[in-house]
Amino acid sequence: MSHALVHAVVSRPETTAVALNDLGHTYPGARHAVLADLDLSVAEGEHIAVVGRSGCGKSTLLSLIAGLVEPTTGTALVLGDRQPARRLESCALMPQGDSLLPWLTLLDNVAISLRNQRVSRRAARAEAQRLLDRLGLGAWSGTRPAALSAGMRQRAALARALLARKPVLLADEPLGALDAITRADVQQWLRDTLTGTSATLVMVTHDVDEALLLAERVVLLARREADAPARVVSTWPGWFGDDRPREVLLGDEGFAAARREVLQALARESHLTDGETAR
């Protein structure tokens, strides 16, 4: 299926999963706002990727959606709900750190998502084991996190987030700790796994190929001046929904042109000045 045809035939349900309206946030004691005047709507079942330079507020954006941080101005809604606890209840959040529980084995760390849904211990562990096997972690299911590499722990954290079965998946650099070969394999597995599901994905990544492969829409978050808050400044169609294999898409002329366009836009955006920090 061609990329153009995908965008011609894919239709989005009318329900809005995430709605950010005139959103802004300033951390206590900070001289400048991290985000301001940000408007973003994500349809139920849509996959979007947020790209931008380090420090522009991408992780803060996910925290605002999840209800972990409340906006200074504007509103954040998840499935129409503004209450932080209800927003968090609807989201599975995969932060940059794996956040695995050190006293549990890898298997029980992943199975905990199902146990929280009142799935029996036996059934939860069986399903978690199947997913760990698919991610190449089956042999380490009885191992505790401290004995595993960062990449292995991150794959397990991804499995745990997916098994949470929440309507909205928020992923902050979900594949960032993986080596290139494993990352390519997991990218294709995610494309296959997310196809046909109703899950809404909001993903932060620095990998432009990954953004285009896993999202239907790529959003650039940027500061136009060093001390200015970040806003959504550009969007592009992604290539999620094109059922060709990852390796084929990476060699496609249209995909290469999209990659160049996003990279050029990133290069145009200014760095934060020395001493400025954002999350």
Side-chain angles (χ1 to χ4, degrees):
M1 182 180 291
S2 72
H3 187 226
L5 183 56
V6 167
H7 285 278
V9 300
V10 171
S11 61
R12 289 280 127 228
E14 294 185 3
T15 303
T16 300
V18 176
L20 309 178
N21 302 304
D22 199 26
L23 191 76
H25 187 70
T26 304
Y27 282 100
R31 289 184 297 161
H32 306 293
V34 180
L35 304 168
D37 304 324
L38 192 150
D39 294 297
L40 182 66
S41 180
V42 185
E44 187 174 21
E46 185 181 11
H47 303 158
I48 76 162
V50 181
V51 298
R53 290 188 179 277
S54 296
C56 72
K58 300 185 299 298
S59 297
T60 296
L61 180 65
L62 295 186
S63 295
L64 288 164
I65 294 171
L68 298 175
V69 177
E70 276 299 273
T72 307
T73 59
T75 58
L77 304 177
V78 175
L79 298 177
D81 213 311
R82 185 173 178 174
Q83 293 299 318
R86 295 293 298 274
R87 301 206 311 270
L88 183 59
E89 185 179 325
S90 297
C91 296
L93 179 63
M94 183 181 170
Q96 289 182 9
D98 57 71
S99 301
L100 298 179
L101 301 176
W103 58 88
L104 293 181
T105 64
L106 201 62
L107 180 62
D108 287 327
N109 261 291
V110 175
I112 199 170
S113 288
L114 294 172
R115 296 288 287 141
N116 288 339
Q117 300 168 54
R118 300 184 180 179
V119 175
S120 71
R121 184 172 186 269
R122 181 176 180 179
R125 295 180 100 234
E127 187 164 352
Q129 183 66 55
R130 284 193 292 272
L131 188 51
L132 288 173
D133 289 341
R134 177 62 187 84
L135 290 171
L137 296 172
W140 290 273
S141 61
T143 305
R144 286 182 170 78
L148 302 171
S149 71
M152 296 168 79
R153 294 196 301 270
Q154 194 165 21
R155 274 182 280 168
L158 175 61
R160 184 178 61 183
L162 290 172
L163 285 183
R165 296 170 177 164
K166 297 294 182 72
V168 178
L169 175 61
L170 305 176
D172 195 349
E173 289 285 341
L175 310 184
L178 305 185
D179 63 85
I181 294 174
T182 302
R183 188 167 188 156
D185 180 61
V186 175
Q187 284 173 355
Q188 183 61 55
W189 175 78
L190 273 174
R191 283 173 59 82
D192 296 339
T193 300
L194 293 171
T195 298
T197 71
S198 60
T200 302
L201 172 67
V202 181
M203 175 182 70
V204 162
T205 181
H206 287 98
D207 187 317
V208 173
D209 284 349
E210 189 166 283
L212 291 168
L213 287 166
L214 296 179
E216 294 155 297
R217 183 159 46 115
V218 178
V219 173
L220 174 59
L221 193 65
R223 298 170 177 236
R224 286 294 168 83
E225 297 178 5
D227 59 353
R231 296 175 172 84
V232 173
V233 298
S234 297
T235 62
W236 301 269
W239 289 63
F240 184 85
D242 187 317
D243 57 7
R244 289 176 293 171
R246 175 187 180 277
E247 293 76 13
V248 175
L249 288 176
L250 291 179
D252 185 279
E253 291 183 4
F255 189 96
R259 179 198 298 121
R260 286 194 300 272
E261 187 174 345
V262 177
L263 287 171
Q264 288 168 359
L266 280 165
R268 286 194 298 269
E269 303 305 328
S270 61
H271 290 281
L272 294 174
T273 58
D274 291 340
E276 285 291 331
T277 58
R279 295 165 175 83

